[in-house]
Amino acid sequence: MARECTRVLGPGGYGGVQVSPPADSLSRDYISADAPIEHPWWEVYQPVDYTLAGRIGTEDQFKQMVTACRSAGVKVYVDTSRWRYFRAPPARARSSPSPARATS
């Protein structure tokens, strides 16, 4: 994506690009009747962790891509799938309910 921003999108006058969720996500290793493609597009919307170390790249690679795109005048819009876990989120990612506020 960084190369596309600097060679194509920026020079072409594009103002922004939307990227898939960068978090580590589901990666199927089979084909089924309801999903005849081994790696369908929706896999990246099935996060399994919040770490930026999935098949899309590492956190450092993501930062470099954003820096390159911004330098080329291209904003980066990140699509997210927050709280949509393929499996239960780790305890550190779960939110606890806010304490009730007293009213007068």
Side-chain angles (χ1 to χ4, degrees):
M1 180 57 38
R3 189 177 318 134
E4 289 296 308
C5 283
T6 57
R7 294 184 182 175
V8 178
L9 301 176
Y14 289 86
V17 64
Q18 179 178 343
V19 297
S20 299
D24 194 13
S25 60
L26 170 71
S27 184
R28 298 176 337 131
D29 59 358
Y30 62 90
I31 295 173
S32 63
D34 63 333
I37 302 169
E38 187 172 350
H39 297 292
W41 65 268
W42 50 262
E43 275 187 341
V44 296
Y45 291 89
Q46 303 295 314
V48 294
D49 199 331
Y50 280 130
T51 59
L52 300 182
R55 68 187 127 166
I56 294 176
T58 66
E59 183 174 353
D60 285 338
Q61 290 170 324
F62 187 79
K63 287 178 182 178
Q64 291 169 5
M65 180 269 299
V66 171
T67 299
C69 289
R70 285 182 177 169
S71 295
V74 180
K75 294 179 182 176
V76 177
Y77 298 94
V78 181
D79 199 355
T80 64
S81 48
R82 188 174 174 160
W83 303 119
R84 282 195 225 160
Y85 271 86
F86 176 67
R87 61 180 185 223
R92 70 180 191 285
R94 293 188 186 127
S95 63
S96 57
S98 300
R101 291 186 178 179
T103 57
S104 42

